[in-house]
């Protein structure tokens, strides 16, 4: 996904992001999450659980090419995060790009 860094910067300023596996999984199951982003080095067992929660709640997810350190940094935090849940996109158009990409698959 191109421009993920730019989109995450916009979302961190104008929207709402939840960091971490447990909170992201709960936000997906409660249907509050609009999109879940996984890092490339997300542990397989956590990735499997997040994907199951996303299928149950029909929440789209995105496997990024960024490491967990890069993903946390792109979202404006000084710590790593293997899973990020986006609750509010703010003024970003990331959701539209993700749905277009999934429709093409």
């Amino acid at each position: 996904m191109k421009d993920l860094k730019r989109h995450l910067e916009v979302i961190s300023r104008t929207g709402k992001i939840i960091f971490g596996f447990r909170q992201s999984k709960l936000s997906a199951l409660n249907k509050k999450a609009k999109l879940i982003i996984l890092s490339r080095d997300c542990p397989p067992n956590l990735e499997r659980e997040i994907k199951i929660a996303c299928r149950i709640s029909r929440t789209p997810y995105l496997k990024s090419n960024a490491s967990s350190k890069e993903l946390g940094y792109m979202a404006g935090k000084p710590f790593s995060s293997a899973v990020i849940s986006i609750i509010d996109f703010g003024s970003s158009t990331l959701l539209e790009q993700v749905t277009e990409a999934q429709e093409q698959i």
Side-chain angles (χ1 to χ4, degrees):
M1 172 69 43
K2 294 184 257 178
D3 301 327
L4 183 62
K5 182 177 192 283
R6 184 176 54 84
H7 284 293
L8 286 177
E9 288 173 354
V10 170
I11 293 169
S12 67
R13 280 186 276 124
T14 62
K16 182 167 170 61
I17 300 177
I18 292 178
F19 297 90
F21 165 74
R22 193 173 310 127
Q23 294 297 321
S24 294
K25 182 180 173 187
L26 287 174
S27 71
L29 289 174
N30 292 330
K31 297 184 180 183
K32 292 183 179 179
K34 306 280 191 296
L35 176 69
I36 304 283
I37 301 176
L38 303 167
S39 68
R40 71 166 178 250
D41 56 353
C42 181
N45 58 336
L46 300 183
E47 184 177 337
R48 185 174 53 251
E49 286 189 45
I50 286 289
K51 286 181 178 179
I52 290 170
C54 287
R55 284 189 196 119
I56 290 170
S57 64
R58 295 193 170 131
T59 303
Y61 65 90
L62 175 67
K63 177 84 175 194
S64 75
N65 291 329
S67 69
S68 58
K69 287 182 182 180
E70 294 168 338
L71 197 59
Y73 177 73
M74 286 190 296
K77 298 297 178 186
F79 50 82
S80 63
S81 182
V83 183
I84 291 179
S85 174
I86 299 175
I87 305 300
D88 179 21
F89 283 93
S91 33
S92 174
T93 60
L94 182 61
L95 183 61
E96 296 164 8
Q97 292 181 6
V98 169
T99 53
E100 285 176 11
Q102 288 181 346
E103 287 174 358
Q104 293 175 359
I105 295 176

